[in-house]
Amino acid sequence: MQPVISFLGAVVGYFDPVIDNIGLFADAFLHTLEIVVYAAVGSLALGTVVAAFRVSPVSPLRWVGTSWVTVFRNCPLTVVLFFCAFGLPEIGINGAYFWFGVTGLVLYTSAFVSEAVRSGINSVSAGQAEAARAIGLTFRQSMGQVVFPQAFRTVVPPLGSVIIAMIKNSAIVGAFGVGNELFSVHATLVSARGLALIPVLLGVAAGYLIITLTGGALLGVLERKVAIAR
Amino acid sequence: MRWNPMLRVGAAVFAVGLVAAACGQQESLGGGGGQAPEYEVVQDPRFAPGTTMAELSEAGTIRIGTKFDQPLFGLRNLDGQMRGFDVEIAKIISGQLGIAPEDIEWVQSPSAQREDLIERGEVDMVVATYTINDERAQRVSFAGPYYQAGQILMVRSDNQEITGPDSLRGSGARVCTVTGSTPSENIRPFIEESQLVLFQQYSQCRDALGTDQVDVVTTDNVILLGYVANSEGQFKLVGDTFTEEPYGVGIPKGDVQFCLFINQALTEAAGTGAYQRAWEATAGTVAEETPELPELNSCR
């Protein structure tokens, strides 16, 4: 029994840097949660609009949608965030770094959301849209009431992957002035206060896992809810 | 109007390009001008067998951790040359081991990695604007200090409201410093958490100050002096230094003999004027006064 207890004691002792600073981890966790909630809502809304542009019958809108996806899907996130944090102030747009960070995540993620949504739209057979038009629905009505509701079912799993990727990407915004988020905890504790790196990083990883695993579980529930037998 | 988003992106690309070009220019200047001074390289020094000094002197080479991106202290130029006060101090110490500057292997040591590099034995010592504090001293030992820096505030020259750290709280001023640095910890008692803006490098804080995104940049006086000197009157320092940042030489925990040896080398350098020449060739190009060597640790 004695060796087991001393082993457990050593394990707990190893995580002292996390346990002693649990308040800091909790604050940073909530801050990261705030960032990803704003970014998820923003990128889902914007991505859906961009996807609508891409399938719209108006060619200038299609062009805007396609350019949007081409630019933001092919630029590294770090570059997009750099433009937000340093480029926008340079052309006279000042704001909080929190919002620059969220904006960067939204711009970048919206391209991937758009592609997932578009693939969902394409999975709805053309006959559905034609039938909607035949009974006199406008483009907006046929999209909103016929195509999107069906497309939504198909896009839940790929959208889930996009949002989970976004949550992990949010670790980067700490490098662009958005302080006190989960990943930057390691810099505060390890670099400034000299604590051991690995236990602190394990604590950070646990924080992200709480968000992503919970998100994944919710998506699983949603997926079962909207699933239809084909 | 559908071109508008693209035009904006284009403008931002151009603007960031300009910033990058400006940074590049300044950093090539930042290592301190003038010819690097030369220091005594002892021929065939004798050390007690088994000591770190004997091993290094026998090997004829030493691995020294320093910053590669810190103007005036440790900066690697585009041609690969190391410049800065930390670099000069490292050369002075190596010279006393009988190791010439060209036999030093420089290892990049960002703030977050310094203790790990020493503990894993990947460097023999670290001279990298390394503030001595109790938490770090639990993992490594410190010789020196060889310089006493202090934290201060830098603001735009037209700023009249901020006069020192005590004027920050409640002013809404945003305060920029580097993630995981000692200054980021020292400034916290003076501000609300929401006022703090953290970046990876001080040059990013300086750019943010220039574009009104932040109101204050805070870190050690010597680093900010370099930025003020290069800002053409755009920035100024306000108030007095409000912390004491003794820069030490990091060595493996408990190597008392090596610590005593380094302190001896520093004391001699202050006596022969090598210490003063090292300062004047580097940080002294922007700082007004040449410092005295601070009182050294006992190494115990």
Side-chain angles (χ1 to χ4, degrees), chain B residues 42-108:
Chain B
V42 179
Q43 296 298 318
D44 285 328
R46 298 201 169 274
F47 299 105
T51 58
T52 311
M53 294 80 81
E55 282 170 25
L56 292 171
S57 160
E58 179 71 20
T61 173
I62 184 169
R63 296 160 306 165
I64 296 174
T66 189
K67 300 257 178 84
F68 279 19
D69 57 357
Q70 187 69 76
L72 305 176
F73 276 76
L75 188 73
R76 201 173 127 111
N77 284 346
L78 291 176
D79 57 10
Q81 275 189 324
M82 300 297 302
R83 304 299 298 273
F85 188 56
D86 285 343
V87 171
E88 301 304 316
I89 290 291
K91 286 182 190 167
I92 289 173
I93 297 167
S94 305
Q96 295 300 310
L97 288 165
I99 299 168
E102 56 269 22
D103 294 325
I104 299 173
E105 183 190 334
W106 301 101
V107 179
Q108 187 170 19

Side-chain angles (χ1 to χ4, degrees), chain B residues 5 14 57 69 96 132 138 159 163 183-184 193 232-233 237 288:
Chain B
F14 182 58
S57 160
D69 57 357
Q96 295 300 310
I132 301 172
Q138 292 184 1
N159 189 326
T163 50
S184 73
E193 184 67 39
E232 294 170 351
L237 301 186
E288 279 160 21

Side-chain angles (χ1 to χ4, degrees), chain B residues 1-10:
Chain B
M1 280 309 286
R2 67 183 196 271
W3 285 92
N4 210 14
M6 292 304 289
L7 275 180
R8 283 189 186 187
V9 169

